[in-house]
Amino acid sequence: MTAAIENHRARLRAGEIYNGLWMMSTSPELAKAGSAAGFDYVCLDLQHGLVRPTDVLRLTDAVRASGDALVTARVAANRFTEIGALADAGVEAIIVPLVSSVEEAQAAVAALDYPSRGGDRSWGPTAEIMHGAVQDTRDERPLLFVMIENEDGLAAVEDICAVPGIDGVYVGPSDLAFAVGALPGQHNEAHAEALVRIRTAADAAGVVPGIHCGDGEEAKLRKEQGFRFITSAGDLGAAGRAFREDLANARS
């Protein structure tokens, strides 16, 4: 798995655009379909979605069964044990929500680094045991994205981006809108300025600017604005739109 992670890390650092699928459901069939569709990453949402730790292994296996998408997960909170458990399960990129300070960013980094790399993580080869191929994975490190989505995180974004071990930042646009006095989905100058500030800080620090989008049209806009790790569809939202469209066509 190390080679796969490092390949994704190198591609993202080189400036490639990644379009991702956000998984709120626990459906391995949708995970397979998303990977087969060609998304660059598939993200399991343990914070606001229905995914729980016991679902992670079968969903990551489903993603890998149908393509080479970067297996990603958003942890429920910036907690040492939960971050490490996702890494143990073979998740290749981890998104940590509500990072508000340099200290919180450093804690996320420490949760993914073994002591030999200056971190606090202990060795727990869960995925390797399940797949019958236990090996020394201490040089393996998932990609780490920290979410900038509140007032404190925005105020410290330049310093957060400069924390060693951070691979990218990921914008939660709805919470960020609330943080600057705006409403999600409505144009607001303060929100637009916040997005520019975050993207500029990421570029200056050499980390990947990422953002959450609800559909492909919004994702195209964010790509034009310089974001490069872009959630471009969600499983429940896309399914609902397709259901409504087919039903409307059938009734027309």
Side-chain angles (χ1 to χ4, degrees):
M1 201 183 310
T2 301
I5 292 175
E6 292 308 319
N7 177 54
H8 285 293
R9 183 174 278 120
R11 289 168 57 190
L12 284 163
R13 285 179 176 172
E16 285 196 33
I17 308 295
Y18 269 41
N19 291 288
L21 171 67
W22 200 260
M23 290 284 301
M24 295 189 72
S25 76
T26 61
S27 167
E29 292 80 16
L30 284 178
K32 287 182 179 181
S35 183
F39 284 100
D40 300 296
Y41 65 91
V42 176
C43 184
L44 315 178
D45 188 0
L46 283 80
Q47 185 190 21
H48 292 307
L50 302 174
V51 182
R52 296 297 176 262
T54 50
D55 300 312
V56 170
L57 277 173
R58 66 186 180 88
L59 290 174
T60 57
D61 284 348
V63 173
R64 293 191 179 100
S66 298
D68 57 359
L70 176 66
V71 178
T72 306
R74 176 167 68 175
V75 70
N78 189 2
R79 290 190 286 260
F80 173 82
T81 302
E82 294 177 33
I83 294 172
L86 287 179
D88 292 344
V91 172
E92 297 165 340
I94 295 175
I95 300 174
V96 178
L98 295 166
V99 171
S100 305
S101 66
V102 166
E103 292 75 19
E104 291 179 5
Q106 291 171 332
V109 172
L112 285 178
D113 275 336
Y114 291 107
S116 59
R117 298 169 59 103
D120 300 319
R121 181 181 169 191
S122 62
W123 191 54
T126 307
E128 286 84 358
I129 291 172
M130 292 293 294
H131 297 131
V134 177
Q135 54 190 319
D136 187 348
T137 56
R138 287 176 296 170
D139 287 334
E140 184 172 296
R141 185 183 190 282
L143 281 79
L144 174 62
F145 289 80
V146 297
M147 291 192 70
I148 305 297
E149 52 185 339
N150 59 26
E151 186 176 358
D152 289 340
L154 179 61
V157 66
E158 290 82 8
D159 293 332
I160 290 172
C161 286
V163 171
I166 299 294
D167 292 288
V169 291
Y170 187 81
V171 177
S174 295
D175 282 316
L176 183 66
F178 292 136
V180 298
L183 292 175
Q186 297 185 13
H187 179 74
N188 177 277
E189 280 303 316
H191 188 256
E193 291 171 4
L195 292 180
V196 171
R197 179 177 178 180
I198 294 167
R199 193 264 303 156
T200 301
D203 288 343
V207 300
V208 181
I211 193 166
H212 195 88
C213 298
D215 56 36
E217 286 301 313
E218 183 184 1
K220 285 168 58 178
L221 172 64
R222 300 310 183 196
K223 179 177 69 173
E224 293 167 0
Q225 294 173 339
F227 290 92
R228 297 193 284 108
F229 189 85
I230 309 167
T231 293
S232 307
D235 59 342
L236 298 184
R241 286 191 297 273
F243 294 157
R244 290 188 292 272
E245 180 181 347
D246 282 342
L247 182 58
N249 288 337
R251 287 175 170 170
S252 62

